[in-house]
Amino acid sequence: MCGIIGCTGRAEDTLDVLLSGLEGLEYRGYDSAGVALANGSLEICKRQGELDRLQQAVGNSLRGPVGIGHTRWSTHGPPTDANAHPHTDCTGNVAVVHNGIIENYDELKAELHARGHEFESDTDTEVVPHLIEAALAEGASFEAAFREAVSRLEGSYALAAVTADTEAILATRHDSPLVLGVGDDAAYLASDVPAFLEYTDRVVYLEDDDFARLESGAWTVTDADGQLLDKSVSRVEWDAEETAKSGYDHYMLKEIHEQPRALRKCLRGRVDELTGSIQVDSLEGLSPSSVQFVACGTSYHAALYGAQTLRDAGIPAQAFLASEYATAPAPVGDDALVVGVTQSGETADTLSALREAQRRGVETLAMTNVVGSTATRECDRTLLIRAGPEIGVAATKTFSSQVVACNLLAATIADRGDSREIVEALRDLPGQVQELLDASRAESVAKRFVDSEGYFFIGRGHHHPVALEGALKMKEITYKHAEGFPAGELKHGPLALVTDQTPVFAVVTGDGEEATKTVGNVKEVEARDAPVVAVTDGASDASRYAEAVLEIPETHPQVAPVLANVQLQLVAYHVANELGRSIDKPRNLAKSVTVE
């Protein structure tokens, strides 16, 4: 949650860099935003609301060679101008931006208040500039004061601080991401790479308890004891165009349409069509006796799919909500593998679950989208999904790529007899997604049912996670009530909620036993006058009982969920668009959840 940007060495256009960086970080929070520039004094502007309010307020009035900025997702205190970052000390000489939660801020605030410090916000962050102020008053240098303040903190944090009379940014992290950008004559700091990608693709990933100093385009990183660290500079493969809307009305729609390319990238170099085999270098030699997936939100639905796929292949597998696993881990046997599914590689609950697994000596695998993320650095192995940057808060292309990555994992560690059929289906998948995108009737279905009281989604087997994901997308961006269920469970209680104002989206593919039973559940819904939307390949007679049909191409039953999910993504998008919702930035949500 929250986004941090910092810049040194840009002279007259520091403000432009900060505002541009905040635009690239809005998916991390958009309750309020602010900037602070240092130029012999501190110039600060911050506003409640989305970034355009800050842009209007600040104009071109702030100048300085050093600056920091912040976009907020509220944890302590409501979205107000006073609670927006940056926060300052009593003198107005120190400004700080923060991502995370300072758990002992009440204690620190009481101590500082007793020493005469005055506070203006409800936030936990505000204690930090006052701690720095207190150390400066005792004669400490800016860097020593910053380190002293950080040593007092408990919890998670990414911090950046500036003072009026020092042309430098000081920063550190603990359980919250922070990355440096290395330019020819400038240095950058951000919560995520897209914030400065238009200026440089050279990055340095900070580890927990690293301290960074940026000044006049130069940078150094030291450890908690002040010892200089030799940090490697990496190049990011993403380009700035990938983080632009490219003519689409919303990032979400762009990212839905990017799925064919994302899937091709996920499969490239890993699938051998001639031999019908799959080989992933990072998984070489992996042969677990059982697998546990840990994940949150959309990634949890991909984990449910992955667990089902592994069980079908004869590997004992379960999926757990990471927030539950971290506090009550499930028993694991010898040679087990714990897989953390996380788009950003920074999801706090998932990282906690992976660390718990490591404490028990279990091998860990990060299934993620971000090279150099905390999950990739801490886990024993990494399986990159290669979806490219995803800016819209509601995950779309990353879910599809996670599902495909689960197939790569299953094919690598399990001995299946139908590997050639799966390889062929994966080969055809990007083209089939494109075919679906070109012909989908999702917009007309959305317009037909936009005024419904609620929405239900049902599916069996591999389609159960798709039903859950379809409901989540609808909830996230339309603010309408939506629920997903295993198809057979609808009659065990939820059927009481079904009316002629609650369309039921039924995912039915193939003509086997699962399809037959799901069609039976569709009949139960239809008998109660609820409209049915069949998401189907036409192999069953589900469409006979449906008021609307969303067609998908025929494919291997293990791959069909990706196609069905794309149709449901489009339905949610078009319902939200008809309702005029803030699709890319839905209320109360942020893209990367870095607090527990």
Side-chain angles (χ1 to χ4, degrees):
M1 310 307 214
C2 303
I4 290 172
I5 178 69
C7 172
T8 66
R10 296 286 303 199
E12 293 301 309
D13 67 346
T14 303
L15 177 62
D16 293 337
V17 174
L18 296 180
L19 293 176
S20 172
L22 291 178
E23 285 183 354
L25 290 170
E26 273 197 292
Y27 60 90
R28 298 182 67 92
Y30 33 86
D31 292 343
S32 59
V35 293
L37 282 81
N39 190 14
S41 63
L42 278 183
E43 297 185 70
I44 295 173
C45 184
K46 52 186 185 175
R47 288 292 185 273
Q48 178 271 332
E50 296 190 9
L51 183 60
D52 57 353
R53 294 197 63 201
L54 173 67
Q55 292 169 323
Q56 292 168 9
V58 75
N60 295 309
S61 60
L62 304 189
R63 289 288 180 267
V66 176
I68 54 176
H70 187 272
T71 182
R72 182 173 185 244
W73 185 85
S74 303
T75 56
H76 292 72
T80 64
D81 288 355
N83 287 335
H85 297 216
H87 289 288
T88 58
D89 65 331
C90 295
T91 67
N93 188 57
V94 179
V96 171
V97 291
H98 166 229
N99 180 18
I101 293 179
I102 297 171
E103 295 173 355
N104 63 332
Y105 87 99
D106 275 332
E107 171 190 332
L108 294 171
K109 188 172 183 179
E111 174 192 320
L112 289 162
H113 194 271
R115 294 166 62 181
H117 291 260
E118 297 292 332
F119 291 82
E120 299 180 354
S121 78
D122 304 313
T123 69
D124 55 338
T125 304
E126 197 179 358
V127 300
V128 182
H130 288 279
L131 287 171
I132 295 173
E133 176 192 8
L136 289 171
E138 295 175 358
S141 66
F142 176 33
E143 184 165 344
F146 181 73
R147 288 177 179 274
E148 170 64 22
V150 171
S151 72
R152 300 290 310 279
L153 306 180
E154 297 175 6
S156 63
Y157 48 81
L159 290 164
V162 294
T163 64
D165 52 4
T166 306
E167 292 188 6
I169 301 173
L170 298 182
T172 190
R173 60 157 286 178
H174 183 82
D175 289 344
S176 195
L178 210 52
V179 59
L180 307 185
V182 180
D184 292 335
D185 299 309
Y188 308 89
L189 175 79
S191 299
D192 205 353
V193 172
F196 54 68
L197 190 55
E198 65 178 293
Y199 305 109
T200 183
D201 62 356
R202 292 182 290 160
V203 301
V204 176
Y205 295 100
L206 298 184
E207 304 286 351
D208 275 356
D209 305 318
D210 283 354
F211 284 78
R213 183 182 182 99
L214 288 69
E215 51 187 337
S216 300
W219 59 275
T220 56
V221 180
T222 54
D223 63 16
D225 296 323
Q227 297 298 309
L228 189 65
L229 298 174
D230 183 15
K231 305 291 288 189
S232 62
V233 178
S234 306
R235 284 195 177 272
V236 178
E237 294 182 2
W238 300 346
D239 59 49
E241 179 60 28
E242 287 187 273
T243 63
K245 286 185 182 177
S246 304
Y248 287 91
D249 290 337
H250 300 93
Y251 281 111
M252 182 180 180
L253 185 60
K254 171 180 179 270
E255 288 154 6
I256 289 172
H257 281 266
E258 285 178 339
Q259 287 175 115
R261 182 174 66 173
L263 295 174
R264 289 189 184 97
K265 289 171 67 177
C266 184
L267 294 168
R268 186 174 300 138
R270 293 165 165 176
V271 173
D272 188 332
E273 296 179 31
L274 293 177
T275 63
S277 63
I278 292 172
Q279 183 173 356
V280 182
D281 291 344
S282 63
L283 303 180
E284 187 175 353
L286 186 63
S287 183
S289 58
S290 63
V291 177
Q292 294 179 346
F293 290 88
V294 291
C296 307
T298 287
S299 294
Y300 174 66
H301 299 154
L304 287 170
Y305 171 92
Q308 175 78 51
T309 301
L310 286 174
R311 289 195 298 271
D312 289 349
I315 303 291
Q318 297 171 282
F320 297 90
L321 289 165
S323 56
E324 297 292 323
Y325 189 94
T327 55
V332 291
D334 294 337
D335 300 321
L337 175 71
V338 173
V339 180
V341 187
T342 162
Q343 184 279 137
S344 66
E346 304 291 351
T347 310
D349 290 319
T350 305
L351 291 174
S352 293
L354 289 167
R355 289 163 183 161
E356 176 58 35
Q358 289 172 325
R359 279 192 289 270
R360 293 184 291 151
V362 180
E363 187 171 15
T364 55
L365 168 70
M367 184 182 291
T368 186
N369 193 37
V370 182
V371 178
S373 60
T374 301
T376 65
R377 298 197 303 274
E378 293 189 2
C379 284
D380 301 304
R381 297 173 182 261
T382 296
L383 175 55
L384 292 170
I385 67 169
R386 301 175 178 172
E390 187 175 67
I391 305 302
V393 168
T396 51
K397 65 178 180 176
T398 52
F399 176 78
S400 296
S401 294
Q402 287 169 341
V403 167
V404 168
C406 286
N407 278 284
L408 300 179
L409 175 63
T412 300
I413 66 176
D415 184 15
R416 294 189 54 137
D418 61 347
S419 60
R420 182 173 292 276
E421 289 83 356
I422 292 174
V423 166
E424 291 175 354
L426 291 174
R427 176 201 63 196
D428 295 339
L429 181 59
Q432 289 180 323
V433 172
Q434 188 62 61
E435 175 188 338
L436 184 158
L437 290 168
D438 293 340
S440 176
R441 296 181 61 252
E443 185 172 4
S444 64
V445 171
K447 289 180 177 179
R448 182 173 178 180
F449 296 110
V450 66
D451 294 323
S452 299
E453 293 177 353
Y455 303 86
F456 294 96
F457 298 78
I458 60 173
R460 286 179 182 268
H462 283 98
H463 292 318
H464 171 219
V466 172
L468 297 177
E469 177 61 12
L472 180 60
K473 285 293 147 297
M474 188 68 78
K475 283 183 277 197
E476 284 179 317
I477 62 171
T478 72
Y479 315 152
K480 291 264 198 168
H481 180 76
E483 295 294 338
F485 301 98
E489 285 300 299
L490 201 62
K491 60 185 176 291
H492 294 290
L495 201 58
L497 301 175
V498 169
T499 72
D500 59 1
Q501 293 299 308
T502 57
V504 177
F505 289 78
V507 185
V508 191
T509 61
D511 59 358
E513 183 179 6
E514 282 188 358
T516 300
K517 288 183 178 295
T518 304
V519 170
N521 302 130
V522 167
K523 293 177 183 178
E524 295 165 358
V525 169
E526 189 239 5
R528 287 154 179 83
D529 296 325
V532 174
V533 180
V535 184
T536 181
D537 56 8
S540 70
D541 60 351
S543 58
R544 287 179 53 194
Y545 308 98
E547 291 195 18
V549 177
L550 293 171
E551 297 179 353
I552 67 171
E554 287 191 60
T555 186
H556 191 284
Q558 198 166 297
V559 176
V562 175
L563 297 165
N565 183 65
V566 174
Q567 287 282 28
L568 297 182
Q569 291 172 349
L570 288 168
V571 170
Y573 171 81
H574 287 299
V575 171
N577 201 36
E578 287 292 315
L579 293 170
R581 304 300 194 221
S582 178
I583 291 174
D584 288 331
K585 297 176 284 188
R587 67 187 183 199
N588 301 332
L589 301 179
K591 184 69 175 173
S592 181
V593 185
T594 56
V595 295
E596 293 185 76

